[in-house]
Amino acid sequence: MNPKLPLKAITFVMALLVSTGLLAQETAKRVVLSNVTAEVSKMLVDNGVDLRCGVTHDHDASSGHDVLKLELLPTELKTLDRLNIPYMVLIDDLYAHYEEVAAKDLPLAKAQLAQMKAVQAERIAAKGSVSSTTQDSFLQYTGSSEIDWAIPTNFNLGASFGGCLTVDEVMAELDEMRTLFPGLVSARADASPTGETTYGNTLGSATFAAQTIYYVRMTSDQASAEGSKPAMLFTSMIHSREVSSLMSNIYFMWYLLENYGVDNRVTELLDNNEIYFIPVVNPDGLRWNEVITPSGGGLQRKNLRVNAGDSGSTSSGNTSRGVDLNRNFDYFWGTAGSGSSGTPSSDSYRGPSAFSEPESRILRDFMLYDGPDAGSDPDRDFQTVLMNHSFANSIPHPYGGIPGNVTGRENEMHAWHAEMTRYNRYVSGATIFTPANGIADDWMVGGAADGNGSTGSGQNILGTTPEHGGTGFWPSSTDIVPIAQRAVRIYMSSIYYGGKYAKFHDMTQSDVTSLNPTLTFGIERVGQTASDFDLVVTPGTNMTGSAVTLNANGLGISGSSAWTNLTTPVSLDTYIQADDTFTYTISLRNDDGNVIYEAEIEKVYNPTVLFSDNPDTDSLTNWTATGAWNNSSLNGFTGTRSLRSSSTIPYTNSSNGTLTSGVIDLSTSGESVIQFYTKYDIERNFDYV
């Protein structure tokens, strides 16, 4: 230190350094926590650090513990310091990072989106229009990779704001949907039956008025009364920094509207269901992010309830105000151990009481609305609900409050989530995250009385909270479209699993050796809305006889009761020759008479067999085996035996095995078919088949 420096100057420099240090700490950061044990996770959750939204989970095989990557606010970072939990900083100033990424990537993302739309338009024009009477179903798709979901022509990124739509831009989108597709979507309407609004912002200089929360209903019969068809609900932005939840929702809305009358799968869905959307559950929080970070990157999660000490400062670090709306629902509210906080500055603050907040009350009242008829059930009989979040690439389901508790509907939820994650490989289940109480989907399904005496909605609605994204609350704007495309099957699955739907399974072998074979079909109910199903089998080429209707009545909703096999004898034309094909059409209908799947099936009569294997007689003689393969008597398909990949139950970790046949010569074959039967049981979220 220079001894000649005046005392006042020394004091000024030291004060400046201290102030700069404090400012540097008052910002959000992206951090990594290593060697996270179950005890550390519980400690974090008990102290208000959310380990559901805004975290990516990895596993360190060497230690057996978790590695967490989180985006944390200053208050949460102070919690880590107070608990003496070490962390490594990946991004020191998350606000500056998001601002820099938005400035760099948004122009590029808009150019890429325009180019993708142009290429897509050229491809469609070159292909021309194709008409078909066959009714397809997204449930029946079994490609080796996901459907290339077409980018909706009217889907656009936000003008600024990191590519996210602002509240006003969302309202403009809803209005444009109504203008362009008045027969398919309602005008936006108040979601509150009583006209309740949000708080608005009453503090500081950037005030704004209380806001209405809006919904729209999609169905091709807009004149029909609400509740006249199976209903599903999709929401987003209950946490107002979760960009991927909103943008995926808007993407899907445009996808449905633009593909009605173009894709018969979409047409069928909108003809026979009511699909509701509430794109912005928390408009106050989203508007506040617009105020504090106009170019995107705001981390306000909660609503704008005024808590003690709130100043209304527009500093991006001022995100402690408000209530976490997804901890404010009246089931397990504050009674299930950890999973929410009673501290107002916490990002998971549950509020002073269950349903203390207008936003959570509006969603409750919207779902339970019983109109002028004052019937015993809500007018909107929701079967499935998606409360979209980001960014953990996962799909947790009830109960989040007490994950070890069972709803009695786990098999239904696992089947639903298996369809959702068939290609994106998001993890799913009730126990994939640490607890979180007072959340919306727990309240929807409800159950036994909690510590407050609440039983939830009383409607036993299947709700779930997909976490879209994987790259942060504010993903690069170039990632918004790919994330939205990965979400489309999640949305589609929720319509199928809510309505009157079943899967068709072809159980008849591809080679037929009799002129009077018996055809076998499997029908598997998946929809929550009860229905009987008919399967109409109509003979085609090289067949005789008339159409026959088979009945699949009284199917349950899960397990073996959801499946039945149907059979019918048929007759082939007596002039059919070996290696000739014959065809028939199957038409699957629900009890409304709606065709939900129709396809032409082709089989081969007396084909030339190049290779066959029967475990009952051949054992392993046709195969070269590596690993623990054996000939088992446990699970034969047509006979008594099968080839099994392991001699132990369960199979051992990190084991590999192969069965290889001899060379099969296809050089003289015009067309070849291979058929085989498999049965497997996998460890959910770890193994994939």
Side-chain angles (χ1 to χ4, degrees):
M1 183 178 294
N2 187 341
K4 296 182 180 180
L5 196 61
L7 181 59
K8 287 184 179 180
I10 295 173
T11 305
F12 173 77
V13 171
M14 291 178 66
L16 179 62
L17 289 173
V18 171
S19 298
T20 303
L22 288 174
L23 288 172
Q25 293 174 9
E26 292 296 320
T27 184
K29 303 178 189 297
R30 183 177 293 170
V31 303
V32 168
L33 279 65
S34 301
N35 200 32
V36 180
T37 63
E39 291 75 19
V40 170
S41 292
K42 185 177 186 306
M43 188 186 307
L44 290 168
V45 173
D46 286 347
N47 284 272
V49 178
D50 180 30
L51 296 184
R52 298 168 76 88
C53 301
V55 59
T56 54
H57 297 254
D58 204 349
H59 189 71
D60 183 355
S62 60
S63 69
H65 299 147
D66 289 338
V67 178
L68 306 181
K69 185 186 297 182
L70 303 100
E71 298 191 350
L72 298 180
L73 297 170
T75 52
E76 296 167 310
L77 292 165
K78 290 175 182 176
T79 298
L80 264 61
D81 293 335
R82 176 171 55 82
L83 297 174
N84 200 29
I85 296 176
Y87 57 89
M88 181 176 68
V89 176
L90 296 180
I91 298 174
D92 186 62
D93 187 338
L94 205 52
Y95 302 113
H97 166 75
Y98 278 136
E99 184 176 11
E100 178 183 349
V101 169
K104 177 173 63 75
D105 289 356
L106 185 54
L108 174 62
K110 290 181 178 180
Q112 288 178 344
L113 181 57
Q115 183 181 27
M116 287 188 288
K117 288 180 181 178
V119 170
Q120 182 175 277
E122 291 177 1
R123 188 170 66 239
I124 293 173
K127 183 178 180 181
S129 61
V130 178
S131 61
S132 173
T133 57
T134 298
Q135 177 63 53
D136 204 354
S137 164
F138 293 113
L139 282 173
Q140 302 293 152
Y141 176 76
T142 56
S144 58
S145 59
E146 181 58 285
I147 293 171
D148 183 15
W149 307 103
I151 298 173
T153 303
N154 289 286
F155 175 79
N156 291 296
L157 303 174
S160 55
F161 204 39
C164 181
L165 297 173
T166 65
V167 174
D168 289 341
E169 286 175 333
V170 172
M171 297 305 108
E173 293 274 314
L174 299 183
D175 294 344
E176 185 179 9
M177 290 176 186
R178 174 65 176 177
T179 298
L180 296 177
F181 300 96
L184 298 178
V185 62
S186 66
R188 60 184 167 100
D190 189 348
S192 171
T194 62
E196 185 172 15
T197 57
T198 67
Y199 296 121
N201 181 34
T202 60
L203 296 177
S205 58
T207 60
F208 49 81
Q211 299 177 84
T212 299
I213 296 175
Y214 290 99
Y215 81 96
V216 297
R217 179 182 74 137
M218 287 190 190
T219 188
S220 62
D221 181 10
Q222 284 294 306
S224 62
E226 292 194 8
S228 57
K229 303 174 186 177
M232 305 87 201
L233 173 62
F234 303 113
T235 79
S236 48
M237 279 291 178
I238 193 170
H239 288 155
S240 51
R241 62 189 177 187
E242 299 180 6
V243 173
S244 296
S245 72
L246 172 62
M247 299 306 287
S248 298
N249 219 345
I250 297 295
Y251 186 101
F252 183 67
M253 294 172 76
W254 280 119
Y255 189 94
L256 289 178
L257 294 172
E258 292 186 12
N259 283 282
Y260 182 85
V262 177
D263 186 324
N264 62 19
R265 295 168 291 189
V266 173
T267 303
E268 191 278 326
L269 292 177
L270 283 178
D271 280 346
N272 300 306
N273 300 282
E274 295 177 0
I275 308 168
Y276 292 79
F277 296 89
I278 304 178
V280 184
V281 176
N282 183 8
D284 283 359
L286 185 55
R287 280 199 188 276
W288 187 242
N289 278 326
E290 296 172 36
V291 169
I292 62 177
T293 54
S295 61
L299 294 178
Q300 178 70 28
R301 159 187 170 112
K302 300 182 289 182
N303 72 350
L304 294 189
R305 164 184 277 271
V306 178
N307 297 319
D310 288 344
S311 65
S313 166
T314 56
S315 165
S316 58
N318 181 31
T319 51
S320 62
R321 55 189 308 196
V323 167
D324 181 349
L325 299 173
N326 203 38
R327 301 295 185 274
N328 192 238
F329 285 76
D330 191 15
Y331 197 58
F332 298 138
W333 183 86
T335 65
S338 59
S340 66
S341 174
T343 303
S345 61
S346 170
D347 234 18
S348 56
Y349 175 46
R350 57 181 170 261
S353 61
F355 287 127
S356 62
E357 304 312 294
E359 296 89 349
S360 53
R361 289 194 300 268
I362 290 169
L363 185 57
R364 174 200 65 190
D365 296 345
F366 175 79
M367 296 185 65
L368 300 182
Y369 173 66
D370 189 7
D373 62 330
S376 58
D377 294 316
D379 283 9
R380 306 175 184 112
D381 188 15
F382 291 115
Q383 300 298 315
T384 55
V385 179
L386 287 191
M387 299 285 295
N388 291 288
H389 290 252
S390 68
F391 59 89
N393 280 0
S394 57
I395 310 179
H397 66 64
Y399 294 120
I402 307 178
N405 278 16
V406 294
T407 66
R409 308 185 71 187
E410 277 68 26
N411 286 338
E412 298 167 59
M413 287 187 276
H414 279 303
W416 178 23
H417 291 173
E419 177 63 31
M420 292 180 182
T421 60
R422 191 144 52 103
Y423 295 95
N424 60 37
R425 291 192 172 185
Y426 289 10
V427 297
S428 65
T431 58
I432 60 174
F433 286 150
T434 52
N437 54 37
I439 59 178
D441 48 353
D442 280 3
W443 171 82
M444 289 172 195
V445 69
D450 64 11
N452 298 321
S454 173
T455 56
S457 71
Q459 299 303 306
N460 202 17
I461 301 166
L462 284 191
T464 194
T465 50
E467 297 274 351
H468 306 283
T471 58
F473 288 122
W474 291 80
S476 165
S477 42
T478 58
D479 289 335
I480 288 175
V481 169
I483 291 170
Q485 289 177 314
R486 287 202 301 271
V488 173
R489 180 167 294 277
I490 294 175
Y491 286 88
M492 292 292 188
S493 302
S494 299
I495 302 174
Y496 284 118
Y497 277 73
K500 293 185 173 185
Y501 292 99
K503 283 184 181 180
F504 168 82
H505 299 271
D506 182 6
M507 306 294 288
T508 304
Q509 296 191 62
S510 295
D511 56 314
V512 175
T513 58
S514 168
L515 289 174
N516 301 107
T518 295
L519 305 180
T520 303
F521 315 101
I523 306 300
E524 179 189 8
R525 175 186 165 188
V526 301
Q528 287 294 312
T529 306
S531 177
D532 292 329
F533 299 93
D534 291 336
L535 185 71
V536 181
V537 184
T538 304
T541 58
N542 286 325
M543 295 185 70
T544 61
S546 303
V548 61
T549 299
L550 309 175
N551 306 116
N553 297 335
L555 294 181
I557 191 55
S558 66
S560 59
S561 68
W563 179 297
T564 189
N565 280 345
L566 304 176
T567 62
T568 182
V570 296
S571 297
L572 306 186
D573 192 298
T574 55
Y575 296 102
I576 193 171
Q577 301 295 307
D579 291 325
D580 282 350
T581 62
F582 64 95
T583 63
Y584 50 91
T585 298
I586 59 93
S587 181
L588 180 61
R589 305 174 184 180
N590 61 24
D591 60 9
D592 289 330
N594 300 321
V595 176
I596 57 177
Y597 182 60
E598 187 172 86
E600 183 181 77
I601 296 177
E602 181 180 88
K603 301 293 182 183
V604 182
Y605 173 69
N606 253 349
T608 302
V609 177
L610 301 178
F611 175 83
S612 66
D613 184 84
N614 182 349
D616 272 350
T617 57
D618 298 325
S619 189
L620 288 167
T621 57
N622 289 323
W623 306 94
T624 299
T626 66
W629 290 87
N630 65 94
N631 187 256
S632 171
S633 61
L634 291 181
N635 283 300
F637 182 74
T638 55
T640 63
R641 305 190 74 81
S642 64
L643 303 183
R644 184 172 162 196
S645 64
S646 176
S647 58
T648 62
I649 299 176
Y651 53 79
T652 56
N653 290 333
S654 303
S655 58
N656 293 291
T658 63
L659 280 182
T660 307
S661 74
V663 173
I664 301 171
D665 184 3
L666 304 179
S667 61
T668 60
S669 302
E671 184 176 355
S672 301
V673 174
I674 181 171
Q675 64 181 24
F676 56 94
Y677 298 95
T678 60
K679 182 175 182 178
Y680 53 85
D681 188 19
I682 61 174
E683 191 174 2
R684 288 168 178 157
N685 298 322
F686 288 92
D687 300 329
Y688 297 90
V689 173

